[in-house]
Amino acid sequence: MSGSNVLLTGATGGIGAALAARLTAQGARLTVTGRQEAALKAAAESCGARTVVADLAVRSDVVRLAESCTESDVLVANAALPASGDLLDYTEEQLDRALDVNLRAPVLLSRLLAEHMVARGRGHIVLVGSISGKAATRSTSLYNATKFGLRGFALALRQELRGTGVGVSLVQPGFVRDAGMFAATGAATPNGIRTVTPGQVAEGVVRAVRRDLCEVNVAPLELRLLSAVAGQFPGFAERIQARTDIDGSVRQIVDAQRSRR
Ligand SMILES: NC(=O)c1ccc[n+]([C@@H]2O[C@H](COP(=O)([O-])OP(=O)(O)OC[C@H]3O[C@@H](n4cnc5c(N)ncnc54)[C@H](OP(=O)(O)O)[C@@H]3O)[C@@H](O)[C@H]2O)c1
């Protein structure tokens, strides 16, 4: 990581801030990106990063971002929208934005940057997914779609790039406390599931790159077990979820994130 050029998306977010600090401490030369120029500049100041303002829902912005970062040794594709709530509550425009930011942008950035990494014979792509890429839950169909998609993409791309010197890792956090899209809702986790910190997620990303790990799940044991079972037996998981009373916390999360669609 030391001396590497790293492109970090979603740097103004809760996990992004921890990632920027952790990567800088490792000696990385950061380029940070997000939509809001002022917030981005503030985020960049503390770590001496270069900034590129880009809206990942705008296709030409994604290409412009990649073209300005062809020297990247590492891509950390971290930006995402919460995309929570029932599908029937989404307009076509909101639905496209969720798919574009959470799935299309990381796929296209990987495509455009991997080309240069492969030519240099070295590099690493980290895709920040979620435990929601392993287990489906109610009122998260769009978020599940993007994170399941990202998981399939990451695992397959890793195989495609095997032998090129370019690694691909998927880092999947559970519920994150203190900062980020879940913490901002103020909701309790369903069934009292334990949380992790943004720093633990950042540590997971650094570990994934250093050891070229395929998949890193940054979540407490109970969530890792539940998601493994749900991934293997979705019908069983659906029946269990139908019996648990999680409507209150799900509603609070969806209501708090509604304005971000
Ligand atoms: N927090 C959790 O509990 C949790 C759990 C599992 C997985 N994750 C994953 O971790 C990653 C980071 O999440 P977080 O909690 O840090 O989220 P967050 O605090 O909501 O930050 C999201 C980041 O994405 C950027 N972003 C959103 N829309 C964008 C767009 N159209 N163009 C460019 N950038 C955009 C935001 O920047 P601007 O608003 O400045 O554009 C912001 O920097 C995400 O992939 C998320 O799915 C989070």
Side-chain angles (χ1 to χ4, degrees):
M1 199 65 92
S2 183
S4 295
N5 294 310
V6 179
L7 170 58
L8 169 64
T9 72
T12 54
I15 293 173
L19 275 167
R22 188 73 175 84
L23 294 167
T24 305
Q26 291 293 305
R29 285 197 293 260
L30 276 188
T31 297
V32 294
T33 179
R35 278 170 303 181
Q36 307 161 49
E37 192 166 9
L40 196 58
K41 283 214 166 108
E45 225 162 69
S46 55
C47 51
R50 181 169 78 107
T51 61
V52 180
V53 177
D55 184 341
L56 298 179
V58 176
R59 295 180 172 199
S60 56
D61 272 21
V62 181
V63 175
R64 178 175 53 79
L65 174 64
E67 284 174 351
S68 70
C69 296
T70 53
E71 298 302 313
S72 298
D73 302 298
V74 180
L75 164 65
V76 182
N78 163 70
L81 289 170
S84 58
D86 294 351
L87 185 67
L88 298 190
D89 285 342
Y90 270 75
T91 64
E92 185 180 348
E93 190 193 354
Q94 291 170 337
L95 188 150
D96 280 341
R97 188 159 39 242
L99 295 175
D100 280 351
V101 174
N102 290 19
L103 187 56
R104 187 182 185 280
V107 168
L108 184 57
L109 284 175
S110 300
R111 162 69 185 86
L112 296 174
L113 295 183
E115 191 164 12
H116 301 282
M117 295 179 190
V118 168
R120 289 192 293 270
R122 62 187 283 266
H124 207 98
I125 294 169
V126 182
L127 298 150
V128 179
S130 166
I131 290 293
S132 294
K134 301 184 77 176
T137 43
R138 80 182 73 144
S139 297
T140 56
S141 51
L142 259 184
Y143 191 64
N144 277 136
T146 61
K147 295 300 184 179
F148 269 67
L150 199 64
R151 180 166 191 258
F153 172 70
L155 302 185
L157 182 65
R158 181 179 170 84
Q159 294 189 30
E160 283 174 27
L161 295 181
R162 197 181 168 85
T164 64
V166 181
V168 180
S169 299
L170 176 67
V171 175
Q172 301 185 121
F175 293 99
V176 177
R177 66 176 176 271
D178 302 339
M181 61 172 68
F182 168 72
T185 68
T189 57
N191 298 320
I193 284 171
R194 286 178 296 163
T195 54
V196 294
T197 64
Q200 283 174 286
V201 180
E203 180 54 36
V205 167
V206 169
R207 195 155 43 92
V209 177
R210 234 194 235 143
R211 295 167 50 189
D212 188 19
L213 300 174
C214 175
E215 188 176 21
V216 177
N217 296 305
V218 186
L221 181 65
E222 66 269 21
L223 192 52
R224 279 184 279 140
L225 288 176
L226 284 169
S227 60
V229 172
Q232 202 64 37
F233 307 105
F236 173 69
E238 179 199 332
R239 289 194 294 279
I240 298 292
Q241 285 187 48
R243 284 190 204 152
T244 50
D245 181 21
I246 55 169
D247 284 349
S249 65
V250 170
R251 210 173 311 116
Q252 190 178 349
I253 293 168
V254 171
D255 286 346
Q257 294 176 336
R258 187 178 299 276
S259 62
R260 299 190 54 196
R261 288 180 183 173

